[in-house]
DNA sequence: TGACATCTTCTACATCTGTAGTAGAATGCT
DNA sequence: AGCATTCTACTACAGATGTAGAAGATGTCA
């Protein structure tokens, strides 16, 4: 499932708080995003159609909530990026991040710790 | 500069070998990609238009070569993904990769080494 | 020099995306 | 009950994208 830029905005709002009404989403979108209410409704309708969001009518108002989880969306997005731009593998992608982005000392430590933590978890299985 | 999916295919070919003719690119695209010759030309024209590729006429045939580097394209793509899906920062993105993707032992070692190498390089500056 | 092969440039067109207006239904307030 | 507010459903429309055909220009080989 591929999300468009505009759809990510909506999903990010939804993941942050749901169920949510279109109105509520409108209020919680980043301030730079100034969409007409109906724009949001259109995007939500498209998301429902593609199965990323579920819609529940309460009275005359729809409540929306994510079906696609943030984690899966992220996984998909990374996978697609890896395929498209990093020879299909995460390794090169991570190397690129490590080598290209200037990591601060603490970010590095952070990562080292994260990797080691995973490592322990793995071993204790 | 944002590349579309189809444009990435072309750029990946071009980065792998350039200057290249449209015909040459056609031959080196992954076998699953079966585009008409003119499709490739259209995409190249669009890439030239957006300044990602340079075109040089040799006789009646065009030679193409990248202007946008692979490194920059990757950087941009990652930045956009981070903005869209990872709260705008690389940290969460890397954490996600480390925690979500099952890394093999050797991949982990590999990363640890890469991080440490960066670290030394940093310190020796 | 003529017939083919190959290039290039234009044009085309369906689908997807971003963005929103209109109109009718439901709800709420007085 | 009547008017204002707010929803939803439907329609619209321009620009981006994927994909390619048509036709004319150029090169090539016998």
């Amino acid at each position: 499932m591929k999300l468009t830029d505009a759809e990510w905005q909506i999903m990010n709002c939804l993941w942050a708080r749901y169920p949510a009404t279109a109105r509520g989403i409108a209020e919680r979108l980043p301030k730079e995003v100034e969409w007409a209410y109906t724009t949001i409704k259109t995007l939500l309708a498209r998301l429902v159609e593609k199965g990323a969001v579920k819609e529940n009518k309460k009275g005359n108002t729809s409540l929306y909530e994510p079906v696609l989880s943030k984690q899966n969306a992220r996984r998909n997005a990374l996978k697609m990026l890896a395929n498209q731009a990093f020879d299909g593998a995460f390794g090169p992608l991570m190397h690129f991040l490590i080598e290209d982005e200037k990591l601060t000392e603490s970010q590095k430590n952070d990562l080292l710790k994260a990797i080691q933590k995973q490592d322990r978890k793995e071993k204790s299985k």
Side-chain angles (χ1 to χ4, degrees), chain A:
Chain A
M1 170 128 37
K2 174 148 180 159
L3 300 176
T4 69
D5 292 357
E7 287 168 350
W8 272 98
Q9 294 285 348
I10 303 285
M11 293 306 289
N12 280 328
C13 266
L14 255 193
W15 286 319
R17 171 121 90 89
Y18 63 84
T21 62
R23 189 62 60 185
I25 290 172
E27 278 157 12
R28 288 191 296 282
L29 279 170
K31 43 257 144 295
E32 328 81 74
V33 179
E34 285 171 0
W35 285 333
Y37 175 79
T38 49
T39 297
I40 294 164
K41 287 289 291 182
T42 301
L43 291 171
L44 281 166
R46 287 178 186 168
L47 283 164
V48 168
E49 206 179 335
K50 48 165 112 168
V53 166
K54 187 168 28 152
E55 180 173 11
N56 276 67
K57 281 250 161 67
K58 269 293 165 203
N60 93 124
T61 302
S62 290
L63 285 182
Y64 299 91
E65 61 186 293
V67 171
L68 174 67
S69 71
K70 180 161 167 173
Q71 174 142 127
N72 276 325
R74 286 178 160 184
R75 220 196 313 265
N76 294 340
L78 273 169
K79 190 66 193 145
M80 285 187 293
L81 180 63
N83 280 331
Q84 176 161 76
F86 293 89
D87 309 304
F90 290 115
L93 202 166
M94 284 195 252
H95 272 281
F96 185 89
L97 280 170
I98 291 168
E99 281 154 30
D100 190 68
E101 300 308 321
K102 329 293 169 252
L103 303 178
T104 65
E105 205 52 34
S106 75
Q107 282 180 307
K108 270 178 251 177
N109 282 329
D110 203 31
L111 283 184
L112 288 175
K113 255 182 284 177
I115 293 172
Q116 281 152 2
K117 198 173 85 195
Q118 277 308 101
D119 214 32
R120 275 199 307 285
K121 200 186 292 175
E122 190 65 27
K123 289 207 170 105
S124 70
K125 270 199 317 205

